[in-house]
Amino acid sequence: MTPTQPALRRRTLFGAVLATVPVLGLAACGEVTVEGDSAVSDEDTSITITDDQGREVVLPGPAQKAVVLNSYTNEFVRAIGAGDTVVGVDRASLDRLPYLPLEESQVIAEGLDQLNYEAIAKLSPDVVILPRNAVWQEAAEQLEPFGIPLVVATAWDTEVVDATITLLGRVFGADDGARTVLEFKDEISGLLTERLADVEPVPVYFETVEPYLTTLPGSGFHAMILAGGGSNIFDDASGGDAQEELTVDPSEVVLRDPEFVIHEFEPSAEPVDRFEDLRADLAARPGWSGMTALAEGNVAVANGWATSALGKSIGALYLGAWLHPREMADVKPDEYLTRWVTEFQDTELSDPADYVQGPQP
């Protein structure tokens, strides 16, 4: 990856939005709202917003310096054209997104529950942005004496992606950039809606990071499967964690006999070649070689940086192309991934195959 300087420009997206209702990222009513008149005067340049925890936050104006935790949030901030305002991040963001123009000294959190408040105060940011699974209550209390506002915005939650992008647009005074990102996302979801409206869903087993860790209804991965014209073989399971993920019995996967298997490993913008090793692991699992998906070669492996991008819209597009090749024959997901990386992340993409590999011939 070769970083390029982030810019506030956004080119006009080709084509019209193909549907008015996006497949992924429909905001749950009332979860995230943005308030206040966007017009400012010489006397008052403040912005009042309501974040995704229902907290009313007043900012002195569009943020010029920000501390942003969570890699997905940093991707959105960069996508709307505000990446050059970020002066502090968490460890995972810098590790996953090496194209961020930041130094080791600007890591102010080792995890979402390990913030260095003194380091944040020294940066004098206009705002600190945390996801809801971070220690935002503690952070709000610790930052108050320094007069640093805190906004809760959860970019990893596909249910509020649209609202989160809109919220970030207001925080950074980048409303136009936010609209452009949403137009790109709607272009993808509209395409999926149009092409896959009448297909028969294909049974899918989705595995994330760890062996046998799968997804349940309520998670972004489950929504991705449905958007791609699939059905989740564990849509009747319960007892998942906060992200609606569950480690299942290996034999249960065999009994449910999925027609397609996809394994998404840890997100990293730096290419990581784990594809053959993971395929070999899947094939070697007891009883798995006889499953329909493996017997027919319908196995995909992906780097989560690519397939979980843009609220998992990119992943849904790849999945739709794999599950329904006839309906999606002229759709090229690689081109959409390339656009996301080069246009919205302002960096170079080595080769889509370094991040996503579908069924092998």
Side-chain angles (χ1 to χ4, degrees):
M1 292 288 176
T2 302
T4 58
Q5 193 67 22
L8 294 178
R9 94 288 176 273
R10 282 287 165 249
R11 67 185 66 177
T12 302
L13 294 172
F14 70 80
V17 177
L18 296 174
T20 58
V21 182
V23 178
L24 289 176
L26 294 175
C29 182
E31 286 194 20
V32 182
T33 59
V34 182
E35 298 178 349
D37 188 348
S38 59
V40 297
S41 68
D42 293 338
E43 292 77 22
D44 183 11
T45 60
S46 65
I47 300 171
T48 301
I49 64 170
T50 301
D51 70 10
D52 79 3
Q53 292 302 297
R55 300 167 58 253
E56 189 173 273
V57 181
V58 178
L59 304 177
Q64 302 300 310
K65 294 174 64 179
V67 167
V68 181
L69 272 65
N70 181 255
S71 62
Y72 296 118
T73 311
N74 272 293
E75 286 183 42
F76 284 170
V77 171
R78 194 168 176 89
I80 66 175
D84 56 352
T85 69
V86 179
V87 296
V89 296
D90 58 309
R91 171 70 60 192
S93 288
L94 194 60
D95 287 348
R96 293 178 177 182
L97 311 175
Y99 54 85
L100 295 179
L102 300 171
E103 305 294 334
E104 176 70 23
S105 60
Q106 292 172 283
V107 175
I108 51 74
E110 292 300 323
L112 296 179
D113 59 349
Q114 303 175 54
L115 281 65
N116 185 333
Y117 297 107
E118 290 184 4
I120 294 174
K122 288 180 180 178
L123 292 172
S124 299
D126 300 318
V127 67
V128 172
I129 301 175
L130 304 180
R132 69 169 181 261
N133 58 324
V135 289
W136 63 264
Q137 298 97 328
E138 173 191 288
E141 181 178 344
Q142 292 290 330
L143 294 172
E144 185 176 10
F146 300 105
I148 301 173
L150 180 136
V151 170
V152 182
T154 310
W156 53 259
D157 184 353
T158 60
E159 291 296 315
V160 294
V161 163
D162 291 31
T164 298
I165 292 171
T166 301
L167 173 64
L168 293 172
R170 285 296 313 281
V171 168
F172 291 97
D175 294 335
D176 288 345
R179 279 192 291 270
T180 301
V181 175
L182 290 173
E183 287 171 2
F184 181 54
K185 177 176 174 293
D186 287 350
E187 181 183 337
I188 295 171
S189 59
L191 179 61
L192 289 168
T193 298
E194 180 186 53
R195 297 299 184 88
L196 306 181
D198 300 317
V199 300
E200 183 71 23
V202 176
V204 174
Y205 169 67
F206 182 92
E207 188 171 275
T208 176
V209 183
E210 300 294 336
Y212 312 114
L213 181 62
T214 193
T215 185
L216 306 182
S219 77
F221 292 120
H222 177 80
M224 184 180 83
I225 293 170
L226 300 184
S231 62
N232 182 357
I233 65 167
F234 284 102
D235 62 2
D236 62 342
S238 60
D241 59 17
Q243 282 73 49
E244 292 298 347
E245 295 173 0
L246 177 71
T247 300
V248 295
D249 188 322
S251 63
E252 189 65 24
V253 182
V254 177
L255 288 172
R256 297 185 182 220
D257 193 25
E259 294 180 22
F260 197 94
V261 169
I262 176 172
H263 179 100
E264 182 183 285
F265 59 88
E266 297 88 340
S268 173
E270 192 69 31
V272 180
D273 189 2
R274 298 186 58 196
F275 299 97
E276 290 307 315
D277 288 345
L278 287 169
R279 286 183 188 277
D281 172 74
L282 292 169
R285 294 178 184 179
W288 277 46
S289 61
M291 290 195 316
T292 300
L294 273 74
E296 297 182 357
N298 291 325
V299 176
V301 179
N303 180 325
W305 178 69
T307 42
S308 279
L310 191 54
K312 298 180 173 52
S313 295
I314 301 293
L317 192 62
Y318 273 105
L319 197 56
W322 294 327
L323 299 181
H324 303 285
R326 183 172 62 85
E327 289 80 3
M328 301 281 285
D330 60 337
V331 177
K332 299 178 180 178
D334 286 350
E335 293 183 355
Y336 285 84
L337 174 60
T338 300
R339 287 174 61 191
W340 171 250
V341 175
T342 59
E343 296 180 26
F344 293 92
Q345 294 305 295
D346 290 302
T347 193
E348 295 180 0
L349 182 67
S350 56
D351 186 331
D354 290 338
Y355 299 90
V356 184
Q357 295 186 15
Q360 300 298 298

